[in-house]
């Protein structure tokens, strides 16, 4: 059994995960024609990843959302080469994708200190431009945050995702006993005795049709992209979103969740996944669990339970299927162990792959050096007499 210490929860109040900014590089400085002086280049605008900052902080601190770099200095008698304008930095959280207004990706900020150039400064006036400077690049950009977490909780409303995060973190997110869906992301951090930390994200709610941006579909699904693994959560007894919607069993919920991910971005269903079967404290839960396990072992045999357009191309195979009760705490420690095991297995496989890649590179370099040495030695060998070198009469 794995020993656990405390588990922390990070909540995002008034969450902002997309921001549109105006950025402009600094104008170049004037050249000095009579002395051939060159004006300084304008400063650039950069978006820089920085820990402990948020898009909301940018929005609050810069309500105009305008970022302009410094202008280059004019050439003068005292300084023929004008100074370069000061760069402007926009500090943004890690996990940002910077795009143009039309959705073209400019760059990603995946680690603290990563930088993306978003607006280049204008050139200073010089002989080539008739000593006239150019203006800096100006455009609108978007900062799109995709949360980076080890695990993303995937489930329909009332599956018990928030309750599960509460059981893992001893925190109190907003929970309802009706078809409620989380509107703001919450990050729970599991902290183990050996100081290993695993982050679990309860993301904005998912409903049927989320891939078409129903509900908060795209707000949810885009965050799933940067999680390492998926943690599906279903109600063992199934659920019904509203009185006018169809009741879905646990098996149907699993397949519909898979289909929603598949329709949004097919690569998502290739991520490693675990299944949490929640609410094992309910009556008949054991029988329902047994039925679900049988269906998961042979999903093709039960595909007729679903509408034809909602059958996934490929059925997910879960690394672990863990029955729990977030209310009573049943199965929670076992779930934590399974989470740790699954992530550790992936980390070990990734490390092994990197080592093999480096070994292969070293082997290739060694073979290449050996080949070059052999060629060189052949080229330097003068023991073989050429016909035109013969001195025989």
């Amino acid at each position: 059994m794995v020993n656990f210490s405390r588990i922390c929860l990070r909540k995002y109040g008034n969450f902002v995960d997309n921001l549109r900014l105006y950025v402009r590089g600094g104008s170049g400085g004037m050249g000095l024609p009579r002395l051939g002086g060159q004006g300084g280049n304008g400063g650039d605008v950069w978006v820089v990843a920085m820990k402990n900052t948020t898009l909301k902080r940018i929005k609050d601190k810069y309500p105009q959302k305008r970022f302009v770099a410094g202008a280059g200095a004019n050439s003068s008698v005292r300084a023929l080469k004008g100074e370069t304008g000061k760069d402007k930095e926009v500090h943004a959280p890690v996990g940002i994708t910077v795009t143009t207004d039309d959705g073209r990706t400019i760059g990603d900020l995946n680690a603290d200190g990563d930088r993306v150039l978003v607006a280049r400064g204008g050139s200073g006036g010089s002989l080539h431009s008739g000593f006239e400077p150019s203006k800096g690049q100006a455009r609108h950009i978007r900062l799109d945050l995709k949360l980076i977490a080890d695990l993303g909780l995937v489930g329909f409303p009332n599956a018990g995702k928030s309750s599960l995060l509460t059981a893992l973190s001893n925190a109190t997110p907003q929970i309802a006993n009706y078809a409620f869906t989380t509107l703001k992301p919450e990050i729970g951090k599991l902290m183990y005795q050996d100081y290993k930390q695993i982050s679990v994200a309860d993301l904005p709610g998912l409903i049927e049709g989320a891939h078409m941006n129903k509900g908060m579909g795209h707000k949810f699904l885009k965050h799933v992209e940067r999680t390492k693994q998926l943690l599906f959560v279903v109600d063992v007894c199934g659920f019904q979103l509203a009185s006018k919607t169809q009741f879905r069993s646990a098996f149907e919920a699993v397949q519909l969740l898979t289909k929603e991910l598949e329709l949004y971005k097919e690569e998502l269903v290739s991520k490693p996944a675990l299944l949490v079967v929640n609410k094992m404290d309910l009556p008949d839960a054991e029988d329902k669990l047994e039925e679900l396990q049988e269906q998961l072992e042979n999903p093709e045999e039960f595909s007729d339970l679903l509408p034809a357009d909602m059958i996934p191309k490929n059925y997910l195979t879960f690394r672990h299927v863990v029955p729990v009760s977030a209310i009573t705490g049943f199965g929670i420690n076992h779930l934590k162990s399974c989470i740790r095991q699954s992530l550790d297995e992936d980390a070990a496989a990734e490390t092994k792959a990197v080592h093999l890649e480096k070994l292969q590179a070293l082997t290739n370099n060694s073979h290449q050096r050996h080949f070059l040495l052999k060629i060189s030695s052949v080229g330097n060998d003068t023991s073989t007499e050429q016909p035109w070198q013969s001195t025989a009469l």
Side-chain angles (χ1 to χ4, degrees), residues 31-45:
L32 190 62
R34 64 189 178 91
L35 295 178
Q38 184 175 339
N41 294 332
D44 301 325
V45 183

Side-chain angles (χ1 to χ4, degrees), residues 128-185:
H128 301 293
S129 64
F131 299 97
E132 289 294 321
S134 62
K135 292 182 179 180
Q137 182 184 12
R139 61 179 170 180
H140 283 93
I141 62 168
R142 291 185 180 274
L143 305 183
D144 191 33
L145 176 65
K146 296 175 183 176
L147 293 176
I148 298 175
D150 295 311
L151 284 167
L153 296 181
V154 180
F156 288 124
N158 209 31
K161 298 198 311 320
S162 294
S163 299
L164 182 63
L165 197 60
T166 301
L168 291 171
S169 64
N170 299 320
T172 53
Q174 186 177 2
I175 299 169
N177 57 3
Y178 51 90
F180 176 85
T181 185
T182 301
L183 298 179
K184 297 169 187 172

Side-chain angles (χ1 to χ4, degrees), residues 12-311:
Y12 292 80
N14 300 321
F15 184 68
V16 176
D17 63 1
N18 190 283
L19 204 56
R20 185 172 184 258
L21 307 176
Y22 173 79
V23 293
R24 191 180 77 220
S27 297
M30 289 290 295
L32 190 62
R34 64 189 178 91
L35 295 178
Q38 184 175 339
N41 294 332
D44 301 325
V45 183
W46 296 81
V47 179
V48 183
M50 182 173 285
K51 288 180 180 176
N52 302 320
T53 191
T54 63
L55 292 183
K56 184 179 184 301
R57 191 172 297 170
I58 299 173
K59 184 180 178 183
D60 292 343
K61 190 175 180 180
Y62 304 97
Q64 300 299 318
K65 291 176 282 190
R66 291 171 60 87
F67 296 87
V68 181
N74 295 333
S75 173
S76 66
V77 174
R78 291 184 178 180
L80 287 179
K81 179 68 173 75
E83 284 188 12
T84 300
K86 189 176 180 182
D87 288 350
K88 185 72 174 178
E89 291 187 352
V90 183
H91 294 153
V94 174
I96 288 288
T97 295
V98 186
T99 67
T100 59
D101 246 358
D102 59 3
R104 183 175 58 83
T105 298
I106 302 172
D108 292 306
L109 304 175
N110 294 321
D112 190 36
D114 282 358
R115 301 166 64 85
V116 174
L117 177 64
V118 292
R120 196 177 293 280
S123 300
S126 65
L127 176 65
H128 301 293
S129 64
F131 299 97
E132 289 294 321
S134 62
K135 292 182 179 180
Q137 182 184 12
R139 61 179 170 180
H140 283 93
I141 62 168
R142 291 185 180 274
L143 305 183
D144 191 33
L145 176 65
K146 296 175 183 176
L147 293 176
I148 298 175
D150 295 311
L151 284 167
L153 296 181
V154 180
F156 288 124
N158 209 31
K161 298 198 311 320
S162 294
S163 299
L164 182 63
L165 197 60
T166 301
L168 291 171
S169 64
N170 299 320
T172 53
Q174 186 177 2
I175 299 169
N177 57 3
Y178 51 90
F180 176 85
T181 185
T182 301
L183 298 179
K184 297 169 187 172
E186 293 170 358
I187 302 289
K189 188 149 286 192
L190 284 69
M191 303 174 71
Y192 293 77
Q193 290 270 334
D194 61 355
Y195 304 107
K196 170 76 173 178
Q197 295 186 16
I198 292 175
S199 53
V200 182
D202 182 11
L203 304 168
L206 185 64
I207 63 172
E208 287 184 49
H211 69 279
M212 296 183 291
N213 209 18
K214 288 184 181 178
M216 297 181 69
H218 288 178
K219 269 185 170 290
F220 170 89
L221 291 165
K222 72 171 187 177
H223 290 299
V224 177
E225 292 181 48
R226 285 194 181 177
T227 58
K228 293 178 184 176
Q229 299 188 7
L230 304 178
L231 194 64
F232 280 58
V233 185
V234 296
D235 183 333
V236 68
C237 294
F239 85 103
Q240 187 173 13
L241 186 61
S243 57
K244 295 180 180 179
T245 60
Q246 188 174 342
F247 174 83
R248 300 295 189 192
S249 69
F251 174 74
E252 290 174 291
V254 169
Q255 307 313 330
L256 288 170
L257 288 168
T258 304
K259 188 64 176 180
E260 289 295 342
L261 295 178
E262 187 179 85
L263 289 171
Y264 175 73
K265 189 169 282 189
E266 203 162 331
E267 310 86 274
L268 292 181
V269 294
S270 66
K271 288 179 181 283
L274 294 79
L275 174 61
V276 177
V277 186
N278 195 15
K279 305 190 181 181
M280 288 302 296
D281 53 290
L282 294 177
D284 302 323
E286 290 292 342
D287 293 338
K288 297 286 187 184
L289 175 63
E290 191 176 329
E291 181 184 355
L292 173 61
Q293 288 172 327
E294 182 188 350
Q295 291 169 327
L296 290 174
E297 285 174 10
N298 302 287
E300 293 85 359
E301 294 181 16
F302 299 92
S303 59
D304 59 339
L305 296 172
L306 295 164
D309 61 340
M310 289 310 293
I311 298 173

